[in-house]
Amino acid sequence: WEAVDAGFDIREGDATIAARSAAAQGRMLEYGAALIAGKRANPTDDMLSILVHATLADVDPPQLTAVELYSFFSLLFAAGSETTRNAIAGGLLALVERPDQLHELREDLGLLPGAIEEMLRWTTPSPAKRRTATRRTRLAGHTIEPGDKVLFWEGSANRDEQVFEQSMRFDIRRDPNPHLSFGH
């Protein structure tokens, strides 16, 4: 986590933090390169192995370059570690603050899959995204032009009263639970 956290700590003009961030990025580069090399030599049944060995017939080169693989690894590692920590911490807090829900879950571990989905809805560990429109479109009566920046808030969507009955209530038995915590 130390290497990931330091990479997110960006403050202009602070040489100590900049040096710590650069050192952390160096450690991540070494770790990522070693992991990618390991997956290249001994693939397993995981996403990184699949990416390392994927080929596209119509692309030159047909496989991702070392820089592309490392960039993907870096993004996945940072995004995955941050969101996982946020979801676990926020989910645990939601249960601790609602002893009845925690008791139900302890009594029936079969509720765990639904509880996890509710924790993801409740915490929305990556609550917003910004994208650039690639074509003209209309959304809720507004025209969005190519090149416009669009910000969407999954955190808000996950509390939408038109989608979720009692949207401001944490409920491990919520079904259906069409949350947008992964952006779709």
Side-chain angles (χ1 to χ4, degrees):
W1 304 117
E2 179 186 323
V4 173
D5 285 344
F8 285 120
D9 193 4
I10 302 167
R11 296 181 220 170
E12 283 203 31
D14 191 323
T16 303
I17 290 175
R20 186 173 54 218
S21 180
Q25 289 174 2
R27 289 192 304 278
M28 286 296 294
L29 178 60
E30 288 176 26
Y31 177 72
L35 188 60
I36 290 166
K39 299 296 182 182
R40 198 176 297 282
N42 300 304
T44 57
D45 186 23
D46 62 75
M47 185 171 26
L48 191 55
S49 291
I50 291 168
L51 280 170
V52 166
H53 294 278
T55 59
L56 296 171
D58 301 0
V59 179
D60 185 30
Q63 289 186 294
L64 293 175
T65 67
V67 170
E68 289 169 331
L69 283 169
Y70 175 73
S71 295
F72 176 82
F73 162 80
S74 182
L75 175 65
L76 183 66
F77 195 85
S81 66
E82 187 73 11
T83 56
T84 301
R85 283 188 288 177
N86 291 344
I88 291 170
L92 181 58
L93 179 62
L95 288 169
V96 167
E97 290 177 341
R98 294 159 186 85
D100 61 316
Q101 298 277 295
L102 180 56
H103 177 75
E104 277 189 68
L105 185 56
R106 284 181 168 159
E107 291 296 311
D108 182 359
L109 292 181
L111 295 172
L112 189 57
I116 290 169
E117 295 300 321
E118 182 66 351
M119 288 177 207
L120 289 169
R121 182 191 77 86
W122 190 255
T123 62
T124 314
S126 178
K129 308 281 183 302
R130 187 188 81 155
R131 297 292 184 260
T132 303
T134 58
R135 64 178 187 216
R136 186 172 207 228
T137 190
R138 299 250 327 140
L139 179 64
H142 300 277
T143 300
I144 300 170
E145 299 291 345
D148 284 354
K149 306 298 184 208
V150 179
L151 181 64
F152 58 97
W153 291 88
E154 291 99 325
S156 178
N158 283 344
R159 304 290 175 98
D160 186 340
E161 304 86 16
Q162 295 178 19
V163 176
F164 299 97
E165 188 175 321
Q166 296 183 334
S167 66
M168 299 306 289
R169 181 174 177 264
F170 180 84
D171 181 4
I172 63 173
R173 293 179 180 271
R174 185 177 300 279
D175 184 32
N177 192 342
H179 66 80
L180 298 177
S181 295
F182 298 113
H184 58 82

